[in-house]
Amino acid sequence: MERSNASFSTPVPSSFVVTERFYAQQFAGFYFTRLAILRKRVLIAAKTKFRSLLLPEDSDMDVDGNSLTDAIPYVERILDVLPGVMCFIMGTVYMDMALKPNILDEIALEEWVLPPPPRAKYISDTDMICLEDESGRLRLVGDILKNIILPT
């Protein structure tokens, strides 16, 4: 068996040449879609794993993991969380970092403006860890956040 040669032209077809950058693309839609797809599965897993915390004694769950007697209720939307009321929620972890790289730095490079010098670190004392869903963001607070690693 002999390998065939394919023809190749060195000029890249114009359909693959980047002539203009588009900065309006955001990833929020991707995260919200993933959350919507995983929400039911995660809810069932959470109620099963934390059953003793979330449900009173002798409480039964239906096939969807729902209980009519939730001790700690599940709140579907972050904006529906009431201050001072114990509940559990689901969302995507988001870290609001003041020192994170900015898209404006990339634009500055294209315009031949000197970019800011590279940073030794991207974390600061003003960073906020949030949980977000399609309705909004909720800031997470507490000493436990200093000792755990959260994927964002």
Side-chain angles (χ1 to χ4, degrees):
M1 181 178 264
E2 219 175 282
R3 185 175 181 167
S4 302
N5 286 332
S7 62
F8 176 77
S9 60
T10 46
V12 177
S14 61
S15 60
F16 296 112
V17 175
V18 176
T19 56
E20 185 178 343
R21 299 231 185 241
F22 182 67
Y23 296 102
Q25 178 66 39
Q26 297 292 317
F27 295 99
F30 170 77
Y31 297 127
F32 296 148
T33 301
R34 180 181 63 188
L35 179 60
I37 292 170
L38 293 176
R39 183 174 271 134
K40 184 176 179 181
R41 196 177 331 167
V42 171
L43 180 59
I44 292 169
K47 284 189 174 186
T48 301
K49 182 170 176 87
F50 301 108
R51 182 180 179 91
S52 63
L53 296 173
L54 301 176
L55 304 172
E57 293 294 320
D58 303 323
S59 177
D60 290 322
M61 290 190 301
D62 64 18
V63 293
D64 291 330
N66 298 317
S67 170
L68 298 175
T69 56
D70 287 351
I72 301 175
Y74 165 61
V75 176
E76 288 189 29
R77 295 172 14 126
I78 286 177
L79 286 183
D80 294 335
V81 172
L82 299 174
V85 177
M86 179 73 75
C87 68
F88 76 98
I89 57 175
M90 280 187 275
T92 301
V93 175
Y94 172 79
M95 192 155 182
D96 189 9
M97 303 172 71
L99 301 179
K100 72 180 173 188
N102 190 324
I103 189 66
L104 296 176
D105 296 342
E106 189 175 331
I107 294 171
L109 284 175
E110 291 179 3
E111 299 298 323
W112 299 98
V113 177
L114 282 176
R119 300 182 192 278
K121 63 179 186 169
Y122 293 104
I123 58 172
S124 74
D125 293 335
T126 62
D127 293 347
M128 293 189 306
I129 299 174
C130 302
L131 196 65
E132 71 177 0
D133 67 7
E134 58 278 353
S135 70
R137 284 187 187 152
L138 184 67
R139 182 176 181 190
L140 304 178
V141 296
D143 290 336
I144 192 170
L145 296 173
K146 297 175 186 173
N147 302 319
I148 60 172
I149 297 173
L150 296 170
T152 60

